[in-house]
Amino acid sequence: FDLSRTLFMATANMVDSIPPPLLDRMETLSLEGYAHDDKVHIAQLHLLPRQLRRNGLPAHALELPPETLMRLVEAYTREAGLRELERKIGALC
C-alpha cells in the first residue's frame, strides 16, 4: 500500500511515553483540558444525572452543590478530561 498521502492521528495524555524516534516524526498539538469551573458545570448538567440513572436512583436521590463538586474536581481528579470525575461521582451514587 502507498501510505505517502495518508494522515495518521493519535492521542496521548503524555508525550513522555512516546518513543523518541516516533515523536521526532510527529507534529504535536497540545490542547488544554477543561477549566475547573467547566468541569463543575458539566458534572451538574450531565455527569451526575447520568450516574444517577445508571445506578437506578431517582434524580433527587443525591444533590451535589457546586462547592462540593469543585472540591471533588480539585482534590480527587487530576486529568484534563472528565472520565475520573464521572467515576468519582458514580462511586458516590
Side-chain angles (χ1 to χ4, degrees), residues 30-43:
S30 296
L31 303 174
E32 295 296 321
Y34 295 103
H36 289 205
D37 290 335
D38 295 334
K39 288 183 178 186
V40 168
H41 186 72
I42 293 167

Side-chain angles (χ1 to χ4, degrees), residues 44-64:
Q44 287 176 312
L45 294 180
H46 304 288
L47 303 181
L48 180 58
R50 180 167 49 203
Q51 284 303 313
L52 289 169
R53 279 192 311 275
R54 286 184 178 172
N55 287 285
L57 297 171
H60 62 277
L62 176 65
E63 292 183 22
L64 294 175

Side-chain angles (χ1 to χ4, degrees), residues 3-44:
L3 299 177
S4 62
R5 295 177 50 102
T6 304
L7 172 68
F8 292 95
M9 296 183 75
T11 62
N13 290 332
M14 299 176 1
V15 295
D16 302 347
S17 60
I18 300 172
L22 177 59
L23 187 59
D24 185 52
R25 288 167 179 76
M26 297 172 71
E27 292 291 330
T28 59
L29 298 173
S30 296
L31 303 174
E32 295 296 321
Y34 295 103
H36 289 205
D37 290 335
D38 295 334
K39 288 183 178 186
V40 168
H41 186 72
I42 293 167
Q44 287 176 312

